[in-house]
Amino acid sequence: MSRLMFYIIVGLLLIAGIATSVHRHVQFEIPWLPGEQRQVWEIEAVITFNAQDGPVQVDMALPSHQAGYRVLTENTASSGYGLAYRADELGRTAQWTIRNATGGQQLYYSVQMLVSQDARSPVQTPPELTALTPWQSPYDSAASQLIDEAWARSANNATFARELIRDINGDRQSENARLLLTQENPAALVVRLLNQADVSAREVSGLLLEDGRRRQALSSWIQVFDEEGDQWTIFHPLTGEQGRPDNLLLWETGGRAVLEVQGGSGSRVSFSMMTHDQPASAAVRNHYSDNTLLNFSIHSLPLEEQALFQTILLIPIGALMVVFLRVLVGIKTSGTFMPVLIALAFIQTTLMTGLIGFLLIVAIGLVIRNYLSYLNLLLVARVSAVIITVIAIISIFTVLAYRMGLSAGLTITFFPMIILAWTIERMSILWEEEGPKQVLIQGGGSLITAVLAYLAMNNPWVRHITFNFLGVQLILMALILILGNYTGYRLLELRRFKPITDDEKPS
């Protein structure tokens, strides 16, 4: 039963670690590999109007998450104006207010939109059909004839909308259509006729994204609710072409005005846009801090703590390397996890500088420790003296490196002084009890383990995975438990059987 429970725990750790990591990759679009690039559109809207020497209130519709695009960041520039963001079932808006304004005014709004194939629009229900203003004669009969003709050639709401658009704007345009176009623009007319036929439809505003374009205006599109597919279908209001172009960003989808200005006249809004690529981790960084249980991550912490944890989360990788090398390979080390701490120091100092500094400190420390052994000091006093000696050695090396202009030598202060002191103490005792051979074996094993742990911990892919996917820590725990259950021969112990294999060879 104990073995069964062990394997159940290991299995649960593996499943939980893999599941949470995959969830973060799929749901929050965190890339598996560092350096992946994502396309981001930067869009700036400029609102201009003439204030009428009094209070002013400006409301502008804002884009939301939608299929193919996700809002990253947004900023405004509006000196002297109050600003508030509002969201309701019809969408998002920004509201600028000021107590008194006179003359020409300019307000700026900029947004970054991430191109994302996994982005989806929020679930929307068809709006209730509002009471329509009845047509006056002879427009009522013209509208009824257009609806009847298009309805006869359609099979569902989508095809009905397509036929109606072609009857109004296409080659089949009739006198009835030309008569009604004197009362409404094409998009508004199509929406009104669709609603008159009890089909949920609305006019939306979209922005066609083209790199480097300036002073662009929004264009009108028509959305029709297809009850069979239970979704909104978009149509071009002039051609009747069904489907949304890849470069169309829907700016307003609630069926209300894009821009409303109270206390001003001559208002208009124009758009400029450009696109660029940036690292995926930076592009989706704002999703890292979403306050949800399944999005538990280090990115919700301040940057200082994030930098600290980026290093701390590498320690399990080093621990896994130590367990593998000691349990399976059979490498002996001075101290159990001293190589992991040395590997962390190597990350700060670079490998070559760290190796030279480590060897110099330990060599000089052993010489001084050998002298202290003749003083017959108590253990606590002796270790304390070694600690002070290590600090003095590091200080001297740092000053000499600075005087000689060797900036790399300044990083030697990152070595764990207490661990170095205990390493010198253990090696000195080992030298006295078992001779220099064991010191070289364990010291060399510690250095080899530290270097391999450093190579594993300093790998860009490993650093990216451990920092962005906390579920990896559960996977590492499961692997360490599995290795800890191994009781067979170590690889280096197989040398004992070499004489046997030599004897079995035919002479």
Side-chain angles (χ1 to χ4, degrees), residues 167 198 391 395 502:
D167 285 345
D198 294 331
I391 295 174
S395 302
D502 292 338

Side-chain angles (χ1 to χ4, degrees), residues 29 84 92 152 201 220 226 241 419 502:
E29 303 180 33
R92 300 170 58 244
S220 294
D226 187 358
E241 183 178 353
I419 298 300
D502 292 338

Side-chain angles (χ1 to χ4, degrees), residues 38-322:
R38 296 287 176 85
Q39 183 183 13
V40 175
W41 283 93
E42 291 192 12
I43 305 168
E44 181 183 73
V46 182
I47 304 171
T48 58
F49 62 94
N50 292 315
Q52 298 173 343
D53 193 16
V56 174
Q57 176 178 317
V58 179
D59 294 274
M60 187 180 75
L62 303 181
S64 304
H65 298 320
Q66 55 192 272
Y69 297 95
R70 177 175 285 125
V71 178
L72 287 183
T73 60
E74 51 188 355
N75 299 283
T76 62
S78 49
S79 178
Y81 281 79
L83 174 65
Y85 293 100
R86 298 185 302 174
D88 53 29
E89 65 277 1
L90 296 180
R92 300 170 58 244
T93 59
Q95 184 179 85
W96 290 269
T97 54
I98 192 171
R99 179 63 64 177
N100 185 46
T102 305
Q105 304 290 309
Q106 282 189 332
L107 305 177
Y108 294 89
Y109 167 81
S110 63
V111 62
Q112 284 190 332
M113 301 295 297
L114 170 67
V115 177
S116 172
Q117 300 301 323
D118 297 325
R120 294 290 180 268
S121 301
V123 178
Q124 300 181 5
T125 56
E128 296 181 1
L129 295 174
T130 57
L132 299 175
T133 303
W135 294 100
Q136 299 295 325
S137 180
Y139 304 108
D140 54 349
S141 59
S144 299
Q145 290 180 24
L146 278 176
I147 292 174
D148 293 339
E149 292 172 0
W151 188 269
R153 295 192 304 268
S154 65
N156 50 39
N157 290 350
T159 56
F160 173 57
R162 182 191 65 201
E163 295 300 321
L164 192 58
I165 293 172
R166 291 179 178 177
D167 285 345
I168 294 175
N169 302 296
D171 297 336
R172 298 196 303 258
Q173 188 183 63
S174 61
E175 290 295 332
N176 291 327
R178 286 191 287 270
L179 176 63
L180 294 176
L181 285 173
T182 61
Q183 303 298 309
E184 300 274 8
N185 63 63
L189 176 59
V190 172
V191 171
R192 184 171 180 178
L193 293 177
L194 288 171
N195 290 336
Q196 185 175 334
D198 294 331
V199 175
S200 297
R202 61 191 180 190
E203 183 180 0
V204 299
S205 298
L207 184 65
L208 290 172
L209 301 177
E210 297 182 44
D211 190 20
R213 298 300 299 270
R214 302 171 61 241
R215 298 189 179 95
Q216 299 300 296
L218 297 176
S219 56
S220 294
W221 297 76
I222 297 173
Q223 277 189 331
V224 178
F225 189 78
D226 187 358
E227 296 180 352
E228 295 181 359
D230 197 26
Q231 61 182 357
W232 289 96
T233 303
I234 194 166
F235 292 88
H236 192 284
L238 299 179
T239 65
E241 183 178 353
Q242 182 176 346
R244 198 183 82 173
D246 293 336
N247 65 332
L248 176 62
L249 173 67
L250 295 180
W251 194 271
E252 195 285 319
T253 59
R256 56 188 173 191
V258 173
L259 179 64
E260 293 182 341
V261 177
Q262 300 179 28
S265 61
S267 60
R268 66 185 299 268
V269 57
S270 61
F271 299 85
S272 302
M273 66 206 77
M274 62 180 296
T275 183
H276 66 274
D277 293 332
Q278 68 181 61
S281 57
V284 297
R285 187 174 299 279
N286 65 318
H287 301 297
Y288 291 161
S289 58
D290 289 347
N291 188 22
T292 61
L293 179 62
L294 294 180
N295 193 28
F296 181 80
S297 72
I298 302 299
H299 295 274
S300 58
L301 299 175
L303 288 179
E304 184 177 357
E305 280 70 20
Q306 288 186 39
L308 174 63
F309 272 97
Q310 190 172 28
T311 302
I312 291 177
L313 292 173
L314 294 173
I315 294 179
I317 297 292
L320 178 63
M321 289 297 299
V322 170

